[in-house]
Amino acid sequence: MVGAGIWGTSLALRLAESGWRVTLIEQYAPGHLRQASAGETRLLSCSHGHDDWYARMAWKARDGWRRLGERAGEEVFLETGVMLFARQEHGWEAASTQVLKNLDIPFEVLDPADAGRAFPDFRGDDLSFVLREPRSGVLRARRATQLTARLAQAAGVTMVRAEARPAPGGGVRVDGETRTADRVVWACGAWLPALFDLPLTVTRQDTLHFDAPAAWASIPAYAEYDSSAYGHGDLDGLGMKATSDVEGPPYDPATGTRQILPASETLARDYLRRRFPALAAAPVLFSQVCQYALTADAEWIIAQVRAGEWVLGGDSGHGFKHAPALADYLADILDGSAEPDPRFGLHPRSATRGLRTSGQTG
Ligand SMILES: Cc1cc2nc3c(=O)[nH]c(=O)nc-3n(C[C@H](O)[C@H](O)[C@H](O)COP(=O)(O)OP(=O)(O)OC[C@H]3O[C@@H](n4cnc5c(N)ncnc54)[C@H](O)[C@@H]3O)c2cc1C
């Protein structure tokens, strides 16, 4: 396995616990700040518009995160609830409610004025309704990645710190040697386009946390599809997250600067001014630069690129929360007892929106 982000570490842990001998090659340390999984926090909500596959996966993964927290002795999933602000009556959120209902995933539909009481200051006069997922919440993402790596090692996974390349003819080239295995998985996030010819676009994504008064600490997480904005309360003193989900400019995860752009702060602040006006001038407390590895339709890539060699990528900005459930799904594929859904293949994809919580493409 190559890549110790949350996808690689979760799969390595799952495979080692079912009897596989696993070597996990990572060029830096698990949880290093260049990887997408090292965002301090990630949202877990089950709404994916019309799609039920990812909704089911997120709901299943929620149990996985709770189990991980129990095993590690640290809470990685916080059930803050997630509110999805719907501007259209029959838009993305309405489609999501239908799926949540079919899957028996708890939710309620709130009047914007009622939903607004969960926030110290809220303007919802342009909203049609608010979809609340009471059992969803926020993941301590970077910490969860480190803990998953630690549990994987305890389960027998051998960690190797090195940069790997596809060896000509198959296998993995590491430190001048070619290593072979029954299965090789390249879970290399935004680095994948440098390794294989894949239909992936890597974009820069700046996230911001604001210094909000104490009353904002316990707000629910929130997202607004039609404004491509999301955030949550102050977790671990990082400040209130309020950030844009609009796809940013092209980015190189290895060499790109990790200083946020002034335009990203403007975008986040514009949203605060509109939805939470009391915070429009709040100082920035913390920021991170990260990257999306996007496919055109935001469906992931799970595909065999050479005999016994799989590429796992194209998370499209909604991959973290699913990791424990995705690892179960992949384990069946790797042992040959299941085939990946054709949606994850290397066929040409058409540009569609709806899987991410972002209705805008930038
Ligand atoms: C700003 C932002 C917000 C997000 N919000 C959410 C959210 O709210 N909810 C959600 O579920 N998801 C969210 N995501 C997406 C989520 O973070 C990703 O889907 C997930 O972290 C992807 O994990 P990964 O393991 O595939 O990739 P990564 O975490 O990037 O890991 C890939 C690893 O592969 C290693 N690697 C690459 N090439 C090599 C090589 N040649 N040799 C050795 N090692 C190599 C890299 O060093 C890296 O550690 C967000 C992403 C961003 C950027």
Side-chain angles (χ1 to χ4, degrees):
M1 177 111 47
V2 185
I6 199 58
W7 279 10
T9 53
S10 299
L11 180 57
L13 172 61
R14 172 65 174 76
L15 293 177
E17 288 184 332
S18 41
W20 289 73
R21 204 149 53 82
V22 183
T23 300
L24 179 54
I25 303 168
E26 166 58 55
Q27 59 191 341
Y28 305 108
H32 69 87
L33 285 168
R34 298 169 198 82
Q35 65 177 200
S37 306
E40 286 296 333
T41 60
R42 295 288 182 248
L43 297 200
L44 188 158
S45 90
C46 298
S47 293
H48 278 278
H50 287 288
D51 190 275
D52 64 353
W53 192 93
Y54 291 96
R56 198 179 290 115
M57 195 69 139
W59 183 240
K60 186 177 170 214
R62 181 182 167 282
D63 284 338
W65 291 117
R66 286 154 63 102
R67 271 198 307 279
L68 181 87
E70 281 160 21
R71 291 178 61 187
E74 279 187 49
E75 209 177 19
V76 295
F77 170 66
L78 290 106
E79 195 180 270
T80 61
V82 176
M83 288 203 184
L84 301 161
F85 304 145
R87 294 208 338 235
Q88 303 173 54
E89 192 186 343
H90 301 293
W92 185 86
E93 296 80 6
S96 300
T97 58
Q98 204 46 55
V99 172
L100 298 180
K101 188 166 169 225
N102 293 344
L103 296 178
D104 261 341
I105 298 174
F107 73 95
E108 51 186 342
V109 171
L110 302 174
D111 181 78
D114 292 337
R117 284 194 262 283
F119 303 90
D121 181 44
F122 183 75
R123 258 195 65 188
D125 46 3
D126 58 337
L127 296 179
S128 177
F129 67 95
V130 173
L131 164 57
R132 175 170 179 259
E133 294 181 29
R135 309 284 297 279
S136 296
V138 183
L139 291 156
R140 290 191 168 102
R142 180 161 182 243
R143 187 65 189 140
T145 305
Q146 292 167 334
L147 291 171
T148 306
R150 193 205 287 166
L151 288 172
Q153 271 184 290
V157 172
T158 305
M159 299 283 301
V160 173
R161 182 158 177 171
E163 185 185 346
R165 311 294 303 175
V172 180
R173 195 87 186 143
V174 187
D175 292 336
E177 274 178 41
T178 298
R179 294 185 176 213
T180 53
D182 293 337
R183 304 280 184 281
V184 175
V185 179
W186 298 88
C188 296
W191 287 260
L192 276 173
L195 301 172
F196 298 98
D197 183 17
L198 294 170
L200 278 179
T201 308
V202 176
T203 60
R204 171 200 171 105
Q205 304 298 141
D206 294 353
T207 58
L208 290 108
H209 296 242
F210 291 86
D211 191 0
W216 291 86
S218 54
I219 63 167
Y222 66 89
E224 187 168 326
Y225 180 81
D226 284 320
S227 299
S228 297
Y230 67 100
H232 58 69
D234 184 353
L235 191 70
D236 302 329
L238 291 167
M240 179 194 162
K241 189 168 185 176
T243 210
S244 167
D245 201 11
V246 174
E247 292 159 17
Y251 189 65
D252 181 335
T255 59
T257 166
R258 296 278 163 180
Q259 266 180 325
I260 64 151
L261 302 170
S264 305
E265 182 178 340
T266 306
L267 210 53
R269 226 177 253 298
D270 286 349
Y271 182 75
L272 285 175
R273 189 170 301 113
R274 191 148 53 82
R275 192 65 65 220
F276 310 112
L279 296 182
V284 174
L285 190 60
F286 174 67
S287 57
Q288 273 189 304
V289 180
C290 195
Q291 63 276 331
Y292 286 157
L294 294 160
T295 61
D297 56 5
E299 300 270 12
W300 302 332
I301 295 174
I302 303 172
Q304 207 167 175
V305 278
R306 308 193 289 186
E309 290 192 38
W310 292 80
V311 160
L312 176 57
D315 66 275
S316 299
H318 64 98
F320 196 96
K321 63 185 176 186
H322 301 281
L326 175 63
D328 286 344
Y329 180 77
L330 294 165
D332 289 344
I333 293 169
L334 293 176
D335 74 13
S337 58
E339 290 282 325
D341 191 297
R343 61 166 73 196
F344 303 123
L346 292 174
H347 52 273
R349 313 264 184 117
S350 42
T352 47
R353 303 257 68 76
L355 285 177
R356 310 201 307 103
T357 46
S358 175
Q360 296 173 32
T361 55

